[in-house]
Amino acid sequence: MAGRLCQRDGGIMAAMVAVVVSDVGMNTLFKAASSKGMSSYVFLVYSYGIGALLLLPSPFLTHRSRSLPPLKFSVLCKMGLLGLLGCVYLMLGYTGIKYSSPTLASAMSNLTPAFTFLFALLFGMEKVSIKNNSSLAKVVGTIVSIAGALVATLYHGPIIFAASQPSVYIPQPLSPPPSSPSNSNWVIGGGFLALEYTLIAVSYIIQTHIMREYPSEFALALSHNVCVSISCAFVSIFAEENNPSAWIMRSKIMLICIVATGMVNSTGYVVESWTVRHKGPLFLAMFRPLSILTAVVLGAIFLGDSLYLGSVIGGTLISVGFYTVMWGKAKEEKADIDAYASATTSSHSRRVPLLTNYAAEKQV
C-alpha cells in the first residue's frame, strides 16, 4: 500500500513539474505571437476551443471505466462558475504578459500559495493559532510573499543580465527599459498578473469542492475549456468589433501558439484536477518557484528578455515566503498524523484489558 502511494505521489510530482515548465513555455510563445499582432481574446477562443475538442470523448471513456456519482445541478453550476472565473483570470494574465514579460508572470505566480492559504482560511479549510509555530510560519510566509510581489511589480531596478539577440525576431523590446512609460506599463502588467493569481487561488478552492462531489478530472477539464472558449468568444465580439482581421491568423507562430496552447492547457488542467483530488489545493503551489528559472532561460533564448534586479529580489522574497507557508503546512500535517496515531494506539490499549478480562472469565 505504501509503495503504491509513493509511486502515485512520484507520478503527481513529475506531472506537475512538466505542467509548470510547459506553462512557462506557452507564456513565452504567446509573448512572441502577440508581438506579431495576435489578439489575446481571439487566442483564448481558439486555443480553448481546440482543448475542448481534444477532451470531448474523454468523459465518456472514463465514465465506463469507473462508477461516478450522479452529476447534480449544483455541481454543474460550480463548473460554470469555475469556467467564467477561468475566462476572467486568463484574460487578465495574458494582458499582463503583453504589458510586462513572462519572467514577471512567473515571479508573480508564486503568490498563488499565499492567496490560496488566505482563501482556505476564509472558507474554514485552514486554521490558524498564533501559539503554534506552524500557523505563525504560514502567516509570516503569506506576508513575505505579498511583499515580494509588490517589490517585483513596483521596483524595476537595473539590468543584471542582458540577453543577446532573440531566436524569434520581435520588432520591439519586450522587457521595458528604465523609462517612465515603460515602467508604467510594467506596473500595469504586474497589477493584472496579481489579480490573475488571486482569482486562480479562488478557483483552486472551487476546484477542490467540485472534485470532492464529482471526482472526474476529464469532465471538469472539458467543462472548463468549453466555458472559457464560449465566454471569451462573447467578449471578443465586443473587444474586436472594429478589428475583424483579428480572427485571421496571419503567421505560423500564431497557429503554432494556438494549437500548442490548446493541447498543453487541456492536459495540464486534467493533471491539476488530479493533483487537487489526491493532494489538495496547496500542493499545486509547491511547484511554482520552478517557473521563475524556466521563464528566465526561455525568455533570454527566444525573446531577448533581460533580467532586472527587481524581479530577482521580488521572486526571491516570494519563494522564501512560499516555502515558509509550505513548511508550516507540512508541520501541521505531521502533527495531525502523529495525533491520529497516538489516538489509535490509546484506543487499542483500552480495548486490550477488556479482551483479557473476558478471556479470564471464560477460563474460570
Side-chain angles (χ1 to χ4, degrees), residues 110-345:
N110 291 315
L111 275 174
T112 305
F115 285 133
T116 302
F117 167 68
L118 289 176
F119 286 116
L121 184 66
L122 182 64
F123 288 101
M125 300 173 68
E126 293 284 340
K127 296 180 180 179
V128 170
S129 175
I130 304 300
K131 296 180 180 179
N132 295 334
N133 291 333
S134 57
S135 296
L136 193 61
K138 291 194 292 185
V139 172
V140 172
T142 301
I143 295 173
V144 172
S145 293
I146 295 174
L150 291 174
V151 170
T153 304
L154 300 177
Y155 175 64
H156 205 183
I159 296 175
I160 63 174
F161 173 75
S164 59
Q165 182 70 23
S167 299
V168 178
Y169 173 71
I170 297 170
Q172 58 185 8
L174 295 177
S175 295
S179 59
S180 286
S182 295
N183 282 334
S184 64
N185 286 345
W186 190 264
V187 173
I188 292 171
F192 279 129
L193 293 169
L195 285 174
E196 177 199 11
Y197 291 111
T198 303
L199 294 179
I200 286 177
V202 177
S203 73
Y204 283 169
I205 304 299
I206 300 174
Q207 194 175 1
T208 303
H209 282 290
I210 293 174
M211 290 305 297
R212 287 176 179 174
E213 296 182 48
Y214 193 78
S216 175
E217 297 86 356
F218 288 98
L220 181 58
L222 175 61
S223 66
H224 180 264
N225 278 264
V226 170
C227 289
V228 169
S229 184
I230 294 175
S231 302
C232 290
F234 280 111
V235 175
S236 300
I237 291 173
F238 297 99
E240 305 294 346
E241 182 179 3
N242 299 322
N243 186 24
S245 62
W247 295 90
I248 302 172
M249 299 298 104
R250 298 181 297 274
S251 65
K252 289 183 180 179
I253 194 170
M254 292 182 182
L255 291 173
I256 293 172
C257 181
I258 288 172
V259 175
T261 303
M263 296 173 64
V264 169
N265 283 354
S266 58
T267 307
Y269 202 83
V270 172
V271 172
E272 288 181 354
S273 300
W274 178 49
T275 304
V276 161
R277 178 186 170 197
H278 291 288
K279 303 296 291 183
L282 282 180
F283 189 83
L284 279 178
M286 289 182 64
F287 303 90
R288 289 297 178 182
L290 289 173
S291 61
I292 298 178
L293 178 61
T294 308
V296 169
V297 174
L298 293 180
I301 295 174
F302 295 105
L303 300 177
D305 278 351
S306 298
L307 185 61
Y308 291 85
L309 181 62
S311 297
V312 173
I313 296 175
T316 302
L317 287 175
I318 292 172
S319 298
V320 169
F322 157 73
Y323 281 115
T324 304
V325 172
M326 296 312 299
W327 177 83
K329 182 66 178 175
K331 194 170 182 180
E332 279 189 354
E333 290 181 353
K334 184 177 183 301
D336 291 339
I337 293 173
D338 292 342
Y340 177 78
S342 61
T344 305
T345 303

Side-chain angles (χ1 to χ4, degrees), residues 10-11 13 20 43 87 91 100 103 105 141 160 180 247 250 305 314 336 349 351 363-364:
M13 292 178 66
V20 170
F43 160 75
C87 174
M91 287 183 179
S100 56
T103 303
I160 63 174
S180 286
W247 295 90
R250 298 181 297 274
D305 278 351
D336 291 339
S349 62
R351 288 197 300 267
Q363 290 178 356
V364 172

